[in-house]
Amino acid sequence: MLAAVLLPATSADASASLRTHAASRGKFIGAALATGPLANETSYRNIAAGEFNQVTAENAMKWDATEPSQGQFNFSGADAIVNFATQNNMQVHGHTLVWHSQTPSWVQNLGAGAMRTAMQNHISQVVGHYANNPAVVSWDVVNEVFDDSGNLRTSFWYNTLGQSYIADAFRAARAADPDARLCINDYNTEGINAKSTAIYNLVASLRQQGVPVDCVGFQSHLAIQYGFPNDFQQNLQRFAALGVQVRITELDVRMVMPRDATKDATQATYYRNVVNACLAVTACAGVTIWGFTDKYSWVPDTFSGQGAALIYNESYQQKPSYTAVHDALAGGSTTDPTPPTTPGTPSASGVTSNSATLTWTASTDSGGSGLAGYDVYREQGTTDQLLGQSTTSSIALTGLSPSTQYQVYVRARDGAGNVSANSALGTFTTTTGPGGGGCTATGTVQTQWATGYVVQPVTVTNTGTAGISGWTVTFTLPAGHTLTGSWNASLTVSGQTVTAKNLSYNGTLAPNASTTFGFQVSRPSGNTQTPSGYTCA
Ligand code: XIL
C-alpha cells in the first residue's frame, strides 16, 4: 500500500498507444466493434486491441441480434465481442437494451401488458447473461427516447406503454445486475439545447424518485459542416452536478466528401475538443469512437455524400484525427507543464442592447499539448462569471443586459489543462434598449387521459424590443387538479395558482426569441378541463 506512494508518477511515453495515455489520465478510450471484421481481419483486431481499452458492440447486443424471436436468445455475436475484450483487458459497455430501432416486429406488435413483460424479460436475460462477467461494466438501458424538440419520442414503446417504460427498464436492469452502471443515451445532446435539457430534467426527476439512473451517454455524431458545440464541456458539467457519470458513447466526425487536408484539420480539432472536454470533467469516464477505420463506418450508408468520419483511413493508416486524440490524451502527462501565453485585451464590436462580439489577439502554446480554447469572464466583484467559451480568438456574446457596463477578460487553456494568466480588462457598455418590454406565454395540451394531462410546450416569447434576463408565467389550475411534474421551469403552487419561473439556462431571451417549458397535472376522472390564460411578466 505504501509502496505505491513511493513510485514515481507514471507519465505515458509520447509515442505510446491511445489506451496507455488514456489509462494514465484515468479515462477509457474505446471503439465500437463489428463482429465481421473482428473475426476476419488481423489488422482490425490488432488496432482494436492495441489502441483501445474499452469496447461497445456496434450491433451485436441489440435486440434484433440477441432475441430475434420471443424467448429465443442468441449471444454468439455479443459473446465474440466480450471474449475479445476479456482477452485484451478491455471493458465493455452494453449497447443497447430498449430502443425504437433494430427491435424485431414481434416486440412492436405486442399489447401493453405483454410488451412490458417482454421488455423486462429481455433486460433480465441479456443483462443477466453478463452479470457475473467482470468485463461488462455498464449498459445503455434506454436509447434515444427524446425527439429533437425535447419531447419524449412517440416510439412504439411510448405509444404502447407511456413514459413509465423508462423507469421500469432501469429497475429491471438494476435487478438483473446490481453492479452494472446504467445509462441513458442520446444524440444531438452535446450542447445545451432543448433535447439535452429534457434529458437533464428526466434524469433529475428519475433519480429523485429512486430510479437507478447512474450515467448519461452523449453519442456525439458530429459533422464539420454543422460547427462544434462550444458548450459541450459546460453541458457535461451540468449533468455531472446531478451526480451521474457522463461518457462520450459514439463519437465520429463526418464531412461532406471528398476528403481534403483542410477538412481533415477541422475534423482533428473536433476530436481534440471532445477528448479535452471529457478530460476536463472529472465525472466523464471516457470516450468511445463509433468504429475506428473508415473502412467500416455507418456514416456513408446513413448520411448521403458524407464519410471519412473516423481516425484511421480505409487502409488502416492513422489520420490527423488520430494524432489529435493521441495528443489530447497525452497532454496531461508531465510533458506539458507550460501554460499558453496570455491572450490580448478583448475588444468589443457590434455592441447592441443585449449582444456584443469580443475579439482578442490569440495565445500560443509551446508546451506540446496545443491550444484548446478560451474562457471569457465578466469581472464583477467577488465571483467572476463565465460568459462563454470559444475555440477561436473571438466570441459572440448574447443575452446581455441593456445599459450595462461589462468589464471582461479572457484566459487561454491548453490540451493539458494548463491555464494562462488573465488578459487585461476590456470594457464596453450595452446600449439602451428601445424599451417596450413584455412577454407572452401560450400553452398546448400535448396529451391527455381520463385522469390527467401534459401541457407541452408552454412557449414563452419575448415580445419586447430589448433582451430579458428572466420571466415569470402564471396560470390557474381548475379546481381539483394537482401538479405532478414539470420541466424546464421552476413551478410553485399556491392554492390553484401556479407560478413558473425560468431556470438558470433559459431565462435569457433576445427580442422575438422563445423558450419552452412543460408540466403534468392529475385531475379527477371524468373532469375534462385544462388550464387556459397564461400570463407572462
Ligand atoms: C448504427 C450502426 O453503426 C449501424 O451499423 C446500424 O446499421 C444502425 O445503427 N445511434 C446508436 C447506434 O445508438 O446504435 C447506431 O449504430 C448509430 C446511432
Side-chain angles (χ1 to χ4, degrees), residues 230 340-349 356-364 371-377 386-397 408-413 420-426 428:
N230 274 315
T341 58
T342 309
T345 312
S347 122
S349 60
T357 298
L358 295 178
T359 311
W360 55 89
T361 301
S363 300
T364 54
L371 198 66
Y374 299 89
D375 298 333
V376 179
Y377 286 92
L386 181 64
L387 285 180
Q389 295 181 308
S390 175
T391 49
T392 66
S393 58
S394 155
I395 191 168
L397 299 173
V408 291
Y409 62 88
V410 183
R411 256 175 0 207
R413 278 176 281 111
S420 75
N422 296 344
S423 74
L425 283 181
F428 65 92

Side-chain angles (χ1 to χ4, degrees), residues 338-507:
T338 315
T341 58
T342 309
T345 312
S347 122
S349 60
V351 180
T352 70
S353 62
N354 58 15
S355 66
T357 298
L358 295 178
T359 311
W360 55 89
T361 301
S363 300
T364 54
D365 185 66
S366 60
S369 64
L371 198 66
Y374 299 89
D375 298 333
V376 179
Y377 286 92
R378 178 179 185 196
E379 171 134 307
Q380 45 172 13
T382 44
T383 8
D384 291 354
Q385 177 198 0
L386 181 64
L387 285 180
Q389 295 181 308
S390 175
T391 49
T392 66
S393 58
S394 155
I395 191 168
L397 299 173
T398 55
L400 305 176
S401 307
S403 311
T404 304
Q405 191 192 65
Y406 284 82
Q407 291 191 296
V408 291
Y409 62 88
V410 183
R411 256 175 0 207
R413 278 176 281 111
D414 70 14
N418 298 304
V419 175
S420 75
N422 296 344
S423 74
L425 283 181
T427 304
F428 65 92
T429 303
T430 49
T431 58
T432 313
C439 58
T440 58
T442 50
T444 306
V445 177
Q446 183 191 56
T447 171
Q448 50 183 314
W449 54 99
T451 57
Y453 51 92
V454 169
V455 179
Q456 161 71 26
V458 182
T459 303
V460 183
T461 305
N462 176 3
T463 51
T465 44
I468 57 174
S469 58
W471 45 260
T472 303
V473 171
T474 46
F475 56 93
T476 306
L477 291 178
H481 291 210
T482 47
L483 189 70
T484 55
S486 65
W487 46 95
N488 294 355
S490 159
L491 269 61
T492 49
V493 187
S494 163
Q496 292 305 106
T497 305
V498 183
T499 304
K501 286 183 179 298
N502 63 278
L503 297 175
S504 59
Y505 53 83
N506 63 2

Side-chain angles (χ1 to χ4, degrees), residues 58-59 62 95 99 102 143-144 219 221 250 290 298:
E58 186 175 1
N59 289 300
K62 292 174 181 172
H95 174 81
W99 190 24
Q102 292 179 271
N143 193 30
E144 303 180 350
Q219 290 187 9
H221 294 292
E250 306 184 11
W290 203 241
W298 74 309

